[in-house]
Amino acid sequence: APVSNSRVDLQKIPAAVSERLCFFASSLRAILKQGAGTGAASPVRAGRDTLLDRKIGGVPTLTQVVPVYEEQVILTEEFLCASDGRNTNLGFVISQAEDHWEIFARKQGMAPRELYNSYTLGELHEWLRQAELAQDMEKAREVRELMLEVRLWASQRSQTVSRTVIGAIQYHKVLE
């Protein structure tokens, strides 16, 4: 069905989702009305903003709408270290991409098991504390960076918004 005829019962969805959908729809209306009252050209540019009038080999501009509701973009340390009694969430992600984890750990100068244990058992926090006590800011920065890199690595291999966002950024970079 055309978008203009689609109906969504806003009473049946969470209030936050309803508010975001209404804001998005209002934004679209405002964009389409921008040139309508002034006699200016439509903000949708033929030959540039649509797919239907493209020449073979032409790449249109890209606008992505990512419908997200309370999703993690980058997995938290607490989530990655949480366990179901058999394995941590980080352990599960690693089990799905063991070869990637090994490459990642080696790039960090550590054995895969050593990096996993250091992260999940809190040893990285102790390294950070010791570096800060010794006022070794370079070491502290490296440890913080490693902790973030582990989170990013796991987020890229999980079903997170991070994958979508990074994909959109990479697509944009290719077009530049």
Side-chain angles (χ1 to χ4, degrees), residues 92-104:
F92 174 77
V93 174
I94 291 170
S95 74
Q96 304 303 303
E98 289 181 29
D99 52 338
H100 292 206
W101 178 253
E102 184 169 346
I103 293 166
F104 173 74

Side-chain angles (χ1 to χ4, degrees), residues 21-51:
L21 284 174
C22 289
F23 178 80
F24 177 67
S26 297
S27 298
L28 288 178
R29 262 193 304 266
I31 290 169
L32 293 175
K33 287 180 183 177
Q34 268 179 346
T38 63
S42 169
V44 176
R45 297 162 294 181
R48 181 167 171 101
D49 295 331
T50 62
L51 291 172

Side-chain angles (χ1 to χ4, degrees), residues 60-91:
T61 57
L62 173 69
T63 299
Q64 289 186 339
V65 176
V66 181
V68 177
Y69 179 69
E70 292 186 3
E71 288 190 45
Q72 289 280 332
V73 175
I74 300 173
L75 298 175
T76 65
E77 182 177 347
E78 294 76 20
F79 174 82
L80 290 173
C81 293
S83 175
D84 64 0
R86 297 183 68 187
N87 200 0
T88 63
N89 290 322
L90 178 59

Side-chain angles (χ1 to χ4, degrees), residues 8 12 30 47-48 59 92 113 142 149:
V8 175
K12 292 184 179 179
R48 181 167 171 101
V59 179
F92 174 77
R113 191 56 151 166
E142 289 174 6
E149 288 296 323

Side-chain angles (χ1 to χ4, degrees), residues 3-21:
V3 175
S4 61
N5 292 335
S6 296
R7 301 280 186 241
V8 175
D9 185 355
L10 297 177
Q11 300 298 320
K12 292 184 179 179
I13 57 178
V17 175
S18 175
E19 289 171 12
R20 290 177 185 169
L21 284 174

